[in-house]
Amino acid sequence: MHRSKSIRALLVVTSSVLLAGALTYPTAGAAPDASQAERLDRGLISVHTGKGNFLSWRLAAGDAPGTAFNVYRDGLKVTSTPITRTNFQDHGAPAGTLYTVRPVVRGVEQAGAASAGGSLRMSAHVGGEMGVTASTRDVPLQIPAGGSTPSGSFTYEANDGSVGDLDGDGQYEIVLKWNPTNAKDNAQAGYTGNTIIDAYRLDGTRLWRIDLGRNIRSGAHYTQFQVFDYDGDGKAEVAMKTADGTRSGTGQVIGNADADHRNSSGYVLSGPEFLTVFRGTDGAILDTENYVPPRGNVSDWGDNYGNRSDRFLAGTAYVDGSRPSIIMARGYYTRAVVVAWDFRSGQLTRRWTYDSGRGGAYGQGNHNLSVADVDADGRDEIIYGSATIDDNGALMYSTGLGHGDAMHVSDLVPSRPGLEVFNVHEWTSSPAMDVHDARTGAFLYRAPSCGCDTGRGVAADVWAGNPGAEIWSSSVGGLRSAANGSQVAARKPGSQNFVIWWDGDAQRELLDGTQISKYGTGGDTRLLTGSGVSSNNGTKSTPVLQADILGDWREEVIWRTSDNRALRIYSTTDPTSISRPSLMQDRQYRVAVAWQNTAYNQPPHPSFATP
C-alpha cells in the first residue's frame, strides 16, 4: 500500500477580492459559530449579445448588508450610481471589453477591490421557444485512449463532474470522470475498461490524470469521487475508493501494479480495497488507508456476485460543525455501512462508523444520499434514503419505507420549522412517495402505494401559484403541495429529473436531458435547448454537473459535447432583480454539489426556502 505525506488564458482571471472565508449557520447547544468555507473571487463573467454585454458576478455571504457595486469598463465607471443587484446589461458595449466590479459599502467604494485581469468571456447562445439568450464556454478535453478487454474493445465518454478550487486561486476547476463505453451496472456481467479521473482549468489546461486501474470496475455505482478542501489549506483535495494498480496524477502506483482481481465475469470480488486522498494541484497521493467496511463475505450482502456488496455512496459533511469530513458508504439494499473520515495534516483518520447490521438503516438506503443539518445544532446529518444518521454516527431514525431512486432535502414547507425530506420508493408495498420531517421522520404526506417501482420524483418550488415546494413523481398524478400532498394543479411537469434556477424569478426551472423548460399549468415552455451536447447516464439523462459556479446566484449547467472533445458550460443571461449570495456559500448546497456525482445523480438544494 502506498502512502506519502500555469499559466492562465487571457481574461480568465476575475475579481481579486476574496469572499468571506467563514460562514455562520443556525446553532444550538455547543455547536460551533462558524464553519470552514471556500474563499472565492467574484466569478465575474461577460457575454456579448445583441444588446451589448451582459455581466454577472457573485455576492458574498460575508458582504456587508446593503453592499452595492460599481461596474467599470476598460477602467471607466459605467454605472451612474452603485447597483444592488449582481448582474448588469452594458447596452451598446463592444465585444472584447474588459470589466471589473468594485463593492460599495455605505456609499464608500472599497479600496483594493478592483479586478486584476477582467471578466471571464462567454459566448452567446440563442435557443428556446422564447428566443432566450444564454452564454456558453467550452472547456477543451483530452480524451483518453481506448483499449480492449476479454469482452471486446472500448472508447471513452465524459461522464460525471465536480468542482473545487484545486490551486487556491479563488476560481473553480473541474474534476471529470471518464467512463469507458463498456461500463456496467452492478447487475450486469462483463469486463470494463479502467475509470479515468481528470482535472481541468476553465481554459482547458489539464492539471492531472488518475487511472483507477483494472481492479476498480467502471459504472455508476463503483466510483463516487469527492472534491473538497478537507484540511483547510485553501486548496481542494480529491478522495475516492482505489485498489491495486491505481496510478496517481504523478505516476505513483497503489499496491501491486501487476495484480488482476477480476473474475471470469468481470467482477472484482477479491483483493485489497483502499480509500485515497489525492492532492488537487497535481493528483499526487497524500494518504491511502484500507477501505471501511471491507467486502468480507460477498454473499453476506445479499447475493454471491457483487451486485449488493459493491454499491457505494459518498459525500462530504460537517459532522463536527466546523470542518468537512469525507463520508464513504457501502450497501443499501440490505446491510448499510456509513463511515466518516477526517483528513488533517496529511493523514486520514476514521471518526466514526455506522453499521446497520440487521436493523436500523438495513434495506433503507437509496441510490443516493443527502447531507444537511436536520436538527439545527450546527452539525450535519447523513440522510441515507429512508434513514438518517446523526452527526455522531448513531441512527437518528428510519421511516421503514425502504429503498428508493430519488430524494430531495430542503426547506420544502416554509410555513413550518426546519427541513423536509421528499423520497420516492421502489418497494411495491410502500407509498409511491412521501414527505417527512427531516429531524424526526414524522410524515407530512404519504401517497398510496402504486404497486410499482416509482423510479423518478422531484420536490422543488416550480410554480408561484402554490406556497413552498411542489412534489411530483412518475407514478402519481398531478402537481402536489409538499406541505400535505394535496393536488394544486392537474398537470404535473413534463419531466421528473433535475431542477435549476435559470430565469430571473424565485421559482426553479426544469432541467431534463439537454433542455431547460419553464413549468406551466397549460404546458412547459422551452427556455434553452443545448446545441451539440449530450446528457449522461442513459435514461437518467443527467448533466456532467449543475451548480452555481460562475456569476450571480443562478445556476450553470455543464454538458459534454457530443464528440466528447469539450465540456460546454451554459449560463443564463436573463436579468434578475433578486440579489442573494452565491448558492455555493450555503453549506448544504455546497456539499450537495460535492455528492451530486454519487450513483443516481440528484440536483443540489440549499438549506433555505425561496420566497
Side-chain angles (χ1 to χ4, degrees):
M1 179 174 65
H2 188 288
R3 181 179 297 169
S4 65
K5 305 295 180 191
S6 68
I7 299 176
R8 294 283 194 179
L10 181 65
L11 302 182
V12 171
V13 180
T14 58
S15 171
S16 61
V17 178
L18 297 181
L19 305 191
L23 307 182
T24 57
Y25 299 89
T27 59
D33 292 329
S35 58
Q36 174 189 314
E38 293 167 307
R39 296 180 64 84
L40 300 173
D41 64 21
R42 290 287 173 190
L44 175 63
I45 60 175
S46 170
V47 56
H48 186 66
T49 71
K51 299 178 181 179
N53 294 324
F54 177 82
L55 310 179
S56 179
W57 61 92
R58 292 186 183 106
L59 179 68
D63 283 335
T67 293
F69 295 90
N70 286 329
V71 178
Y72 289 79
R73 179 209 306 148
D74 292 333
L76 299 176
K77 187 165 66 172
V78 295
T79 44
S80 57
T81 58
I83 59 174
T84 56
R85 63 187 184 277
T86 52
N87 57 89
F88 177 72
Q89 181 69 58
D90 191 9
H91 291 280
T97 301
L98 291 178
Y99 287 93
T100 59
V101 295
R102 298 183 184 182
V104 178
V105 179
R106 291 183 288 276
V108 179
E109 186 175 276
Q110 300 303 289
S115 165
S119 54
L120 179 65
R121 282 184 187 162
M122 309 280 282
S123 299
H125 170 87
V126 179
E129 294 174 14
M130 300 176 67
V132 174
T133 302
S135 61
T136 67
R137 183 179 179 86
D138 278 12
V139 179
L141 300 176
Q142 299 176 34
I143 305 174
S148 61
T149 71
S151 300
S153 61
F154 61 88
T155 57
Y156 278 96
E157 293 180 342
N159 192 249
D160 295 334
S162 193
V163 292
D165 183 3
L166 301 180
D167 54 13
D169 66 351
Q171 302 174 30
Y172 283 125
E173 284 75 44
I174 298 174
V175 177
L176 175 70
K177 179 172 74 170
W178 290 96
N179 261 0
T181 51
N182 61 359
K184 303 292 184 185
D185 185 86
N186 296 50
Q188 300 169 340
Y191 291 86
T192 72
N194 297 359
T195 299
I196 305 293
I197 308 291
D198 280 355
Y200 294 91
R201 291 188 174 124
L202 296 188
D203 63 1
T205 300
R206 195 183 79 189
L207 298 178
W208 45 258
R209 170 166 289 171
I210 294 169
D211 185 340
L212 290 180
R214 60 191 170 197
N215 295 307
I216 295 288
R217 205 165 185 249
S218 294
H221 304 288
Y222 297 103
T223 295
Q224 331 296 349
F225 59 96
Q226 292 296 289
V227 182
F228 221 84
D229 178 13
Y230 293 105
D231 60 5
D233 67 352
K235 301 177 182 180
E237 293 78 40
V238 182
M240 68 192 87
K241 183 175 179 285
T242 57
D244 279 343
T246 294
R247 186 176 297 273
S248 78
T250 57
Q252 303 156 289
V253 177
I254 294 175
N256 181 358
D258 297 323
D260 187 348
H261 301 298
R262 299 173 296 178
N263 65 20
S264 59
S265 296
Y267 288 99
V268 181
L269 303 181
S270 63
E273 301 172 285
F274 307 120
L275 173 63
T276 299
V277 176
F278 298 90
R279 188 163 53 211
T281 52
D282 60 4
I285 295 168
L286 295 175
D287 190 23
T288 293
E289 301 294 337
N290 290 325
Y291 192 86
V292 179
R295 65 173 67 86
N297 186 348
V298 171
S299 61
D300 289 345
W301 296 86
D303 59 57
N304 62 4
Y305 65 102
N307 183 23
R308 286 168 169 76
S309 66
D310 276 16
R311 297 279 179 166
F312 300 99
L313 299 176
T316 294
Y318 289 75
V319 295
D320 69 354
S322 178
R323 302 181 69 180
S325 296
I326 303 166
I327 305 299
M328 288 285 160
R330 184 177 215 143
Y332 41 76
Y333 284 127
T334 53
R335 179 189 176 198
V337 182
V338 183
V339 184
W341 295 84
D342 293 338
F343 180 70
R344 312 281 189 261
S345 302
Q347 177 69 47
L348 275 165
T349 304
R350 186 153 44 111
R351 174 179 285 267
W352 51 252
T353 300
Y354 169 78
D355 191 331
S356 72
R358 297 287 300 182
Y362 186 91
Q364 301 301 306
N366 267 26
H367 283 303
N368 34 64
L369 54 70
S370 189
V371 174
D373 177 12
V374 305
D375 54 6
D377 66 354
R379 297 181 288 268
D380 287 340
E381 282 70 46
I382 315 303
I383 301 92
Y384 207 71
S386 293
T388 293
I389 312 303
D390 206 349
D391 55 71
N392 61 2
L395 180 71
M396 180 174 277
Y397 64 82
S398 170
T399 67
L401 297 185
H403 170 70
D405 289 0
M407 178 171 62
H408 302 263
V409 182
S410 188
D411 187 2
L412 304 177
V413 187
S415 60
R416 64 183 304 277
L419 306 177
E420 292 78 34
V421 179
F422 168 80
N423 220 337
V424 300
H425 301 286
E426 186 170 313
W427 292 359
T428 58
S429 58
S430 291
M433 59 187 191
D434 82 277
V435 179
H436 61 265
D437 184 287
R439 180 200 293 258
T440 66
F443 293 110
L444 279 67
Y445 167 69
R446 283 176 286 182
S449 170
C450 62
C452 63
D453 173 0
T454 303
R456 302 285 182 92
V458 183
D461 180 12
V462 297
W463 185 46
N466 172 68
E470 294 78 49
I471 57 175
W472 67 99
S473 75
S474 57
S475 66
V476 178
L479 184 69
R480 298 176 178 272
S481 168
N484 53 23
S486 62
Q487 183 169 298
V488 296
R491 182 187 176 274
K492 62 185 177 183
S495 72
Q496 300 96 33
N497 199 2
F498 274 42
V499 285
I500 185 171
W501 274 296
W502 187 258
D503 64 12
D505 63 27
Q507 281 67 49
R508 275 181 131 173
E509 283 66 57
L510 310 171
L511 169 57
D512 186 39
T514 58
Q515 301 170 351
I516 295 175
S517 301
K518 186 77 172 175
Y519 169 76
T521 55
D524 298 337
T525 300
R526 182 76 51 79
L527 301 182
L528 175 73
T529 300
S531 176
V533 294
S534 298
S535 59
N536 286 337
N537 302 312
T539 59
K540 297 294 182 288
S541 301
T542 52
V544 170
L545 184 72
Q546 172 199 324
D548 173 22
I549 62 172
L550 294 168
D552 63 27
W553 59 272
R554 270 89 58 84
E555 296 169 286
E556 282 67 48
V557 58
I558 305 176
W559 288 298
R560 62 182 173 95
T561 58
S562 298
D563 60 6
N564 292 293
R565 295 187 180 278
L567 298 179
R568 186 160 295 159
I569 304 171
Y570 281 80
S571 185
T572 183
T573 55
D574 278 2
T576 181
S577 59
I578 298 173
S579 181
R580 65 165 58 116
S582 166
L583 295 176
M584 293 294 255
Q585 294 211 309
D586 178 78
R587 193 173 83 187
Q588 180 177 323
Y589 182 94
R590 180 63 187 91
V591 298
V593 171
W595 57 245
Q596 186 180 143
N597 68 80
T598 295
Y600 288 179
N601 304 8
Q602 299 288 281
H605 293 283
S607 62
F608 56 84
T610 56

